[in-house]
Amino acid sequence: MGHATSLSHFLILSSSRFSRLGSLTRLLSKPTSLSGSFSSISVTGQGFRCCCSVATDDTSPSVKKRVVSGVQPTGSIHLGNYLGAIKNWVALQDTYETLFIIVDHHAITLPYDTRQLGKATTDTAALYLACGIDVSKASVFVQSHVPAHVELMWLLCSSTPIGWLQKMIQFKEKSRKEGVENASVGLFTYPDLMTADILLYQSDFVPVGEDQKQHIELAREIAQRVNHLYGGKKWKKLGGRGGSLFKIPEPLIPQAGARVMSLTDGLSKMSKSAPSDQSRINLLDSKDLIVDKIKRCKTDSFAGLEFDNAERPECNNLLSIYQIVSGKKKEEVMEECKDMSWGTFKPLLADALIEHLSPIQARYQEIIAEPEYLDKILSEGADRAEELGAVTMRNMYQAMGYYQRRRY
């Protein structure tokens, strides 16, 4: 985020050692409609990238599965973050126990403005709530307020071969931009922190976009390696319960809205880090700015509008955005727009975006005007996260042979 934007955003399939996991048949879930409801389907999995997840207590059917996800507080949250992740979280919170994180530790591995980090953190939290995260159903907290994320990262680093991290595509891309000699160690070990975010809460599933792959494969590999090195009979001999220390996370892919592309290049993902603000719709953009960005966005010279034509990536992207923000079915959009010109469609899309985002913007202004309310929510969310994470950390320290503190 400077890196990828979502904890619910973290992964990419590699043709290297991770590809063998791609052949596994996984139980995934997909929305049955644009409302984001999920149904189980059996598919051939391919690995992903994440900081979002879902966990279950297998021994009690009455206990909800758990979803954990997040977004970095860098730059403005844009339409891709919202449609690709946050909107789906709102649907998940009705079915699962959910924890949503502002992942500020991830934001410091690239150069950043120290004067803006705090404000960006609270702004991101306020947008979570404005987008529909309900604190009666979900916990919202700041990553750095729960020290166990970093503690677990260090324990995982001790079991992660350097070669695994060297194969990570994100590090290669980011370090090239910074210069390999100037890239931080934090950027290199960033995947271990993502893995800690997933494993700390015993996640079963990881909500990810179709393009988010490699880090979830790494998280699975690390979990399996730690279970082998320290779990089972070895842990039991040290006084533990034995068995696995971590559940092995699986990907959870939304059917619609998983990937929103740039307004200036239909083959590139909408991104906070893109140099041109014209490439994205930010959730807090004014009405006039949204109209201007849609008016100027890249299109093509084909007649009519259509989905799923590989020669028309911008057309597919804009129609997909319209489909989701309007709440219409794909077939309805196809029938409505098939004979439209761009001059007719663009104002239609801009109006739909404004109508969809206006309530979010109004709610955001209400929340940000009450800092004590927001602070209370973040504090209570961190308390809940610490309670859950403490169990994982006690087990890890015991299984790895640490001398435990005696309290008097």
Side-chain angles (χ1 to χ4, degrees):
M1 314 203 76
H3 308 294
T5 52
S6 100
L7 211 72
S8 100
H9 290 282
F10 288 171
L11 302 126
I12 308 179
L13 187 68
S14 167
S15 58
S16 64
R17 66 185 304 280
F18 300 106
S19 61
R20 68 179 182 84
L21 287 173
S23 64
L24 296 176
T25 297
R26 301 201 176 102
L27 183 67
L28 303 187
S29 297
K30 68 177 182 180
T32 55
S33 70
L34 286 178
S35 67
S37 59
F38 287 79
S39 62
S40 296
I41 58 171
S42 183
V43 302
T44 300
Q46 292 194 349
F48 307 73
R49 162 202 123 151
C50 159
C51 214
C52 327
S53 20
V54 186
T56 180
D57 180 351
D58 296 327
T59 64
S60 175
S62 64
V63 176
K64 285 185 175 182
K65 295 179 180 181
R66 184 175 301 138
V67 177
V68 183
S69 190
V71 171
Q72 283 196 31
T74 53
S76 299
I77 291 182
H78 55 67
L79 196 66
N81 303 140
Y82 171 61
L83 297 182
I86 301 174
K87 190 171 185 289
N88 292 315
W89 303 347
V90 175
L92 290 172
Q93 69 185 348
D94 291 324
T95 305
Y96 303 102
E97 179 188 2
T98 47
L99 293 87
F100 300 117
I101 316 170
I102 297 89
V103 289
D104 53 345
H105 281 316
H106 292 294
I108 69 168
T109 58
L110 292 171
Y112 70 101
D113 187 343
T114 58
R115 298 167 297 179
Q116 293 299 316
L117 181 59
K119 182 179 185 303
T121 299
T122 54
D123 285 353
T124 300
L127 273 172
Y128 277 13
L129 302 181
C131 288
I133 299 300
D134 183 346
V135 293
S136 70
K137 303 174 183 177
S139 299
V140 179
F141 62 98
V142 179
Q143 184 185 30
S144 62
H145 294 180
V146 183
H149 285 262
V150 176
E151 286 186 65
L152 182 56
M153 174 200 175
W154 181 251
L155 299 184
L156 298 179
C157 280
S158 71
S159 298
T160 306
I162 289 177
W164 292 13
L165 298 180
Q166 288 174 330
K167 293 175 181 176
M168 302 306 288
I169 294 171
Q170 250 190 33
F171 173 73
K172 293 178 181 178
E173 292 176 348
K174 300 293 182 181
S175 62
R176 274 198 297 268
K177 292 179 181 178
E178 293 298 307
V180 176
E181 294 300 318
N182 295 322
S184 70
V185 173
L187 183 62
F188 184 63
T189 58
Y190 179 87
D192 270 308
L193 181 55
M194 290 184 189
T195 300
D197 297 329
I198 296 169
L199 301 184
L200 180 62
Y201 304 106
Q202 298 298 330
S203 304
D204 281 319
F205 298 98
V206 179
V208 292
E210 291 182 0
D211 64 318
Q212 302 163 341
K213 303 165 184 174
Q214 197 182 25
H215 289 94
I216 186 60
E217 298 290 1
L218 179 64
R220 290 171 55 85
E221 291 281 312
I222 292 174
Q224 290 168 340
R225 182 177 174 86
V226 172
N227 286 342
H228 174 72
L229 289 174
Y230 303 109
K233 294 181 180 179
K234 298 173 187 176
W235 180 19
K236 198 164 187 177
K237 288 179 180 179
L238 293 172
R241 62 172 170 79
S244 296
L245 287 154
F246 295 119
K247 294 178 180 179
I248 309 302
E250 297 282 356
L252 188 69
I253 306 176
Q255 186 180 38
R259 196 177 195 196
V260 178
M261 310 308 286
S262 167
L263 297 182
T264 56
D265 178 4
L267 296 176
S268 298
K269 188 177 177 182
M270 188 174 286
S271 171
K272 291 180 181 181
S273 59
S276 173
D277 191 58
Q278 172 63 31
S279 68
R280 56 189 168 264
I281 298 291
N282 301 304
L283 293 196
L284 298 179
D285 280 348
S286 68
K287 295 178 182 179
D288 289 343
L289 187 54
I290 291 172
V291 170
D292 182 65
K293 286 182 176 181
I294 295 301
K295 183 178 180 180
R296 296 168 55 197
C297 71
K298 183 179 179 182
T299 54
D300 56 44
S301 58
F302 290 84
L305 304 180
E306 59 184 329
F307 284 99
D308 303 325
N309 184 338
E311 296 182 4
R312 307 186 68 184
E314 288 80 18
C315 185
N316 185 72
N317 183 48
L318 296 176
L319 285 175
S320 296
I321 292 172
Y322 177 64
Q323 176 198 349
I324 299 172
V325 299
S326 67
K328 297 179 180 179
K329 295 180 180 179
K330 187 174 182 178
E331 295 75 17
E332 293 175 323
V333 173
M334 289 173 63
E335 182 62 28
E336 178 186 7
C337 303
K338 64 181 180 181
D339 297 322
M340 282 187 182
S341 66
W342 286 115
T344 302
F345 176 73
K346 283 186 174 183
L348 182 69
L349 174 57
D351 288 345
L353 281 166
I354 291 167
E355 182 179 355
H356 192 90
L357 295 180
S358 289
I360 294 174
Q361 295 176 351
R363 179 61 180 144
Y364 166 82
Q365 294 299 335
E366 293 173 359
I367 294 168
I368 211 70
E370 299 183 47
E372 290 185 2
Y373 165 75
L374 190 57
D375 287 346
K376 184 173 184 291
I377 287 173
L378 295 177
S379 179
E380 290 175 349
D383 288 343
R384 173 60 177 155
E386 285 186 323
E387 178 185 339
L388 294 171
V391 177
T392 297
M393 294 310 301
R394 282 196 299 270
N395 289 342
M396 279 294 289
Y397 281 128
Q398 182 184 47
M400 293 182 70
Y402 277 78
Y403 176 73
Q404 301 296 301
R405 176 183 176 183
R406 270 62 171 175
R407 296 184 181 276
Y408 298 96

